[in-house]
Amino acid sequence: MGKEALESPTSSFQNSLSTIIPWKEKMVNFKSYVSYQDDRQTLEITPANYLQFPYRDSLKGPIKTIDFTPGSTAYQYFRIKSLDTSHSANISFSSKGWTFTPQVGFDFSSDQLNTNFDGTTVTNSPDFTSLAYENDLKFMRINPNASVGINYKSESWSLYSNFPVNFNSIKAEDAFRNVSKSLNKVTFTPNIFVQYSFASFFKASMSGGISNNFGDIQTAYAGYILTSPGGFNVMNPSNPIPETNTKNGGVRLEYRNPLNNLFFNLGYRLSDAKIIY
């Protein structure tokens, strides 16, 4: 009969600020967000051979299960500390139905991952005292950004759009597992929505946009981590930081007539995602 014990204390802190500051004849909207979280987990499994993990001594060796020492205990220590900050300021200008909102911002995030798996085996294979079963990974992302929002409103037309430019700088470091990767890339991720109202009860609209998402600390660690009862998970330290580029667009026709309770809509949407390594 196996016994499993898990302790996972978490501590966190969050602070957000939003204020409006007068500047000449305009008002500047300033926003700030800070979040810190410390997650710790200690896993203890007795007896260790309750874990039936597939394993091979070499690339061409037969697949077998890890032969833990009878009656021994397996442990895993896991800790991740995360800091996220976001600061932005914008100001709006309006004229004849048009509104222009330029914005500048600065985002910073930092994650520190520390893990260690420990256990004993009959033949000392695998060797859980080796650095391959530990992680000491720092993942940092810096993102200065600027954007302009352009909106328009009239009796028949509505336009909502945003045109952000992001200066992405990402770095992952774990010297003992040969992790040293970085990514520096400027991305343009516009999005737009246009709607036209006509014939009293009809609305036709179209929308489109581009988004970019980059890998996080979960795609960068190179030491083995016990993530499920089925076995360990690990990433190749030579893998680059992944990027997902998504483009989407759609059209929609809507009819709403409250006089006779008749409503219907037709729509079509297309999305294409591309993963870049």
Side-chain angles (χ1 to χ4, degrees):
M1 182 177 181
K3 182 179 72 172
E4 180 177 320
L6 176 66
E7 293 184 27
S8 54
T10 298
S11 59
S12 63
F13 167 81
Q14 288 186 356
N15 183 60
S16 60
L17 169 68
S18 179
T19 185
I20 297 176
I21 303 172
W23 181 67
K24 296 183 178 180
E25 296 179 353
K26 300 294 181 179
M27 306 296 287
V28 179
N29 186 11
F30 177 78
K31 294 182 179 180
S32 177
Y33 174 79
V34 178
S35 173
Y36 175 79
Q37 186 162 317
D38 186 354
D39 292 314
R40 289 174 292 170
Q41 183 184 90
T42 302
L43 177 65
E44 178 181 335
I45 300 170
T46 304
N49 54 16
Y50 172 77
L51 301 171
Q52 298 291 305
F53 292 164
Y55 174 73
R56 57 179 18 151
D57 294 313
S58 63
L59 292 176
K60 296 183 179 180
I63 298 177
K64 55 185 179 180
T65 58
I66 297 177
D67 191 11
F68 287 96
T69 303
S72 66
T73 300
Y75 301 90
Q76 178 168 268
Y77 171 79
F78 179 100
R79 185 176 188 179
I80 182 168
K81 295 184 287 184
S82 302
L83 173 66
D84 294 291
T85 67
S86 179
H87 311 288
S88 65
N90 66 59
I91 188 171
S92 294
F93 305 88
S94 299
S95 177
K96 298 180 180 180
W98 290 90
T99 301
F100 300 89
T101 307
Q103 176 175 296
V104 293
F106 183 85
D107 299 335
F108 172 82
S109 65
S110 177
D111 297 304
Q112 176 68 45
L113 174 67
N114 293 95
T115 71
N116 180 30
F117 183 90
D118 192 19
T120 59
T121 59
V122 174
T123 61
N124 200 34
S125 179
D127 181 7
F128 292 120
T129 64
S130 71
L131 294 175
Y133 291 87
E134 300 178 14
N135 284 282
D136 183 12
L137 174 65
K138 186 172 184 179
F139 192 94
M140 184 172 63
R141 179 172 180 175
I142 300 173
N143 175 217
N145 55 83
S147 67
V148 58
I150 302 177
N151 299 332
Y152 176 75
K153 183 71 175 177
S154 70
E155 185 175 338
S156 299
W157 288 94
S158 297
L159 166 68
Y160 305 96
S161 62
N162 195 37
F163 301 92
V165 177
N166 296 278
F167 303 87
N168 303 281
S169 178
I170 304 173
K171 182 180 291 186
E173 297 282 348
D174 183 351
F176 290 109
R177 269 129 316 254
N178 298 316
V179 177
S180 180
K181 60 185 74 178
S182 62
L183 182 149
N184 295 283
K185 188 169 186 178
V186 178
T187 57
F188 178 56
T189 54
N191 61 82
I192 186 171
F193 173 83
V194 181
Q195 180 176 274
Y196 176 62
S197 302
F198 61 98
S200 300
F201 305 115
F202 283 93
K203 291 181 179 180
S205 63
M206 69 175 185
S207 62
I210 300 174
S211 65
N212 279 81
N213 294 299
F214 299 95
D216 57 15
I217 199 168
Q218 299 296 328
T219 64
Y221 63 87
Y224 288 92
I225 299 178
L226 179 60
T227 56
S228 73
F232 296 99
N233 198 19
V234 67
M235 306 294 170
N236 189 327
S238 63
N239 286 345
I241 296 172
E243 173 190 356
T244 303
N245 177 268
T246 304
K247 300 176 181 178
N248 66 83
V251 294
R252 180 184 176 93
L253 177 65
E254 181 180 351
Y255 178 83
R256 298 177 62 86
N257 188 343
L259 301 179
N260 56 15
N261 291 321
L262 180 60
F263 309 93
F264 75 86
N265 64 79
L266 298 172
Y268 177 78
R269 191 160 192 84
L270 180 66
S271 181
D272 177 58
K274 182 180 181 181
I275 300 177
I276 305 170
Y277 290 97

